[in-house]
Amino acid sequence: MTEDEDLESFRAEVRAFLDAELPPEKRFAADGFANSSKELTAWWQGVRAKRGWGAPGWPKQYGGCEWSLAKKRIFADESTKAGAPSYSPFGLTMVGPVIYTFGTEEQKAEHLPHILNGTRFWCQGYSEPGAGSDLASLKTRAVRDGDHYVVNGQKTWTTQGHWADWIFCLVRTNTEVKQQNGISFLLIDMNTPGIEVRPIRTIDGMHHLNEVFFTDVRVPVKNLVGNENDGWTYAKFLLGNERAGIAGVARTTGDLIRLREWASSASHFINPPINDPVIAQRLDSLEQRLAKLAALEARALEAPSQSAEAMRLVAPLKLLGTELSQDVSELALDIAGPAALPRPANDPVHPYGQEGEHAMSVFLFGRAQSIYGGTNEVQKNILAKMMAAGI
């Protein structure tokens, strides 16, 4: 069997799996992980894990698939087209790889199976009120007290913190050295006394962000990942994985397919917007940019982990991916026009259908894309420094 035949066979297998396991009422039940429910996300992760497809990128020894880039993309594309629920990235693509790469055998046995089958949710304790893109300036302290660390401080913009069972947290364990050299990586049970979670309501009307406060929280020393004060190394490893995923190729592919179908719909429009040469040209341009982004992402994912090439491609992936996603949402909003405005609950459905209000919700949520995961302005500074250094 040729490689192309193998991939087409795999695509058919994925479609059959989705047809069999994803009932109609679960399809397109949520638009992205941010406005999904914990129950829906956990259910789908469990279904995938039962099939052996819970972690496409993990090593097989930890229950992963070790799929090629091509197979990962096929699975993501077909899942998006089928309207499958999103996964929560904080366990699967962020802390999971950190644990199986740098964690103890006890930590691996304790956490990886739960991440894989969707029975334990995680959130990320990185950003603070005074430490966002300048993450190394974080102030949350962890002071050693026998077999525990005592943690005090605050984290913010904590996505899914109200869901999370555990939080992986960057804490300062040494204040006498260079900022990056005094940070440690802790795994903290969110049920530990002294932790308070407060919701942050965003402009899109959703609750997916939170503030997390730590007051004399006692964390066992066995929950330290790797070596004390080496947390910046593990944080960079994790951020590389996070920002590569932020390119959002599969998500944007689904958004563009949905947008083109809507713009071409005679049932929603007397004169479909696709007939407007300006709209058609903007759609074509966005699809061309997506193809280039996918090729760039493929280069980054095929490069050896933590290699100079992989690290060099992270910043432009984040920049181009988030800017493309925002431009897609702007075109959807332009097509929707007045139909994007909210209407009273007793109003009849607009002839444009629910796509108009969906366009507004996606547009508002998308404003944050150029901020989270490292602001685009900071990514440009990183690129400029790398170019100046000849990297």
Side-chain angles (χ1 to χ4, degrees), residues 44-108:
W44 186 238
Q45 182 60 33
V47 172
R48 289 174 48 181
K50 186 176 180 180
R51 178 63 177 78
W53 290 353
W58 285 19
K60 289 184 178 179
Q61 70 184 100
Y62 301 120
C65 305
E66 286 188 1
W67 282 342
S68 66
L69 173 61
K71 286 189 174 182
K72 290 179 188 176
R73 179 154 294 156
I74 287 171
F75 185 79
D77 288 347
E78 294 300 328
S79 296
T80 299
K81 292 175 186 176
S86 298
Y87 68 91
S88 179
F90 303 106
L92 277 179
T93 61
M94 296 186 192
V95 76
V98 171
I99 291 173
Y100 67 63
T101 303
F102 303 105
T104 64
E105 292 304 315
E106 181 181 359
Q107 289 168 348
K108 296 173 189 177

Side-chain angles (χ1 to χ4, degrees), residues 31 35 255 258 332 339-340 353-363:
D31 182 38
N35 66 351
D255 289 344
R258 182 173 179 171
Q354 296 179 339
E355 291 288 352
E357 289 187 348
H358 172 79
M360 178 62 81
S361 175
V362 172
F363 173 82

Side-chain angles (χ1 to χ4, degrees), residues 14 29 40 78 84 102 163 181 184 224 227 275 287 293 295 297 313 340 348 388:
V14 171
L40 180 64
E78 294 300 328
F102 303 105
W163 288 11
N181 295 338
S184 296
L224 173 73
N227 300 317
N275 296 332
E287 289 168 346
L293 178 66
E297 183 185 59
L313 291 172

Side-chain angles (χ1 to χ4, degrees), residues 14-167:
V14 171
R15 287 175 176 171
F17 164 73
L18 293 167
D19 288 343
E21 301 293 343
L22 189 59
E25 66 273 14
K26 302 285 190 182
R27 295 172 183 256
F28 301 103
D31 182 38
F33 80 92
N35 66 351
S36 183
S37 68
K38 183 175 183 178
E39 293 73 24
L40 180 64
T41 306
W43 168 78
W44 186 238
Q45 182 60 33
V47 172
R48 289 174 48 181
K50 186 176 180 180
R51 178 63 177 78
W53 290 353
W58 285 19
K60 289 184 178 179
Q61 70 184 100
Y62 301 120
C65 305
E66 286 188 1
W67 282 342
S68 66
L69 173 61
K71 286 189 174 182
K72 290 179 188 176
R73 179 154 294 156
I74 287 171
F75 185 79
D77 288 347
E78 294 300 328
S79 296
T80 299
K81 292 175 186 176
S86 298
Y87 68 91
S88 179
F90 303 106
L92 277 179
T93 61
M94 296 186 192
V95 76
V98 171
I99 291 173
Y100 67 63
T101 303
F102 303 105
T104 64
E105 292 304 315
E106 181 181 359
Q107 289 168 348
K108 296 173 189 177
E110 168 64 25
H111 297 295
L112 296 182
H114 291 292
I115 295 173
L116 193 64
N117 63 22
T119 55
R120 182 171 294 170
F121 279 83
W122 289 78
C123 61
Q124 180 182 46
Y126 274 23
S127 295
E128 299 183 2
S133 294
D134 181 20
L135 187 57
S137 64
L138 64 89
K139 297 293 191 294
T140 296
R141 289 292 311 275
V143 178
R144 181 76 178 260
D145 180 23
D147 292 334
H148 288 78
Y149 288 103
V150 180
V151 179
N152 285 278
Q154 176 187 355
K155 299 295 180 178
T156 193
W157 310 125
T158 311
T159 304
Q160 295 181 350
H162 55 305
W163 288 11
D165 304 296
W166 284 70
I167 182 172

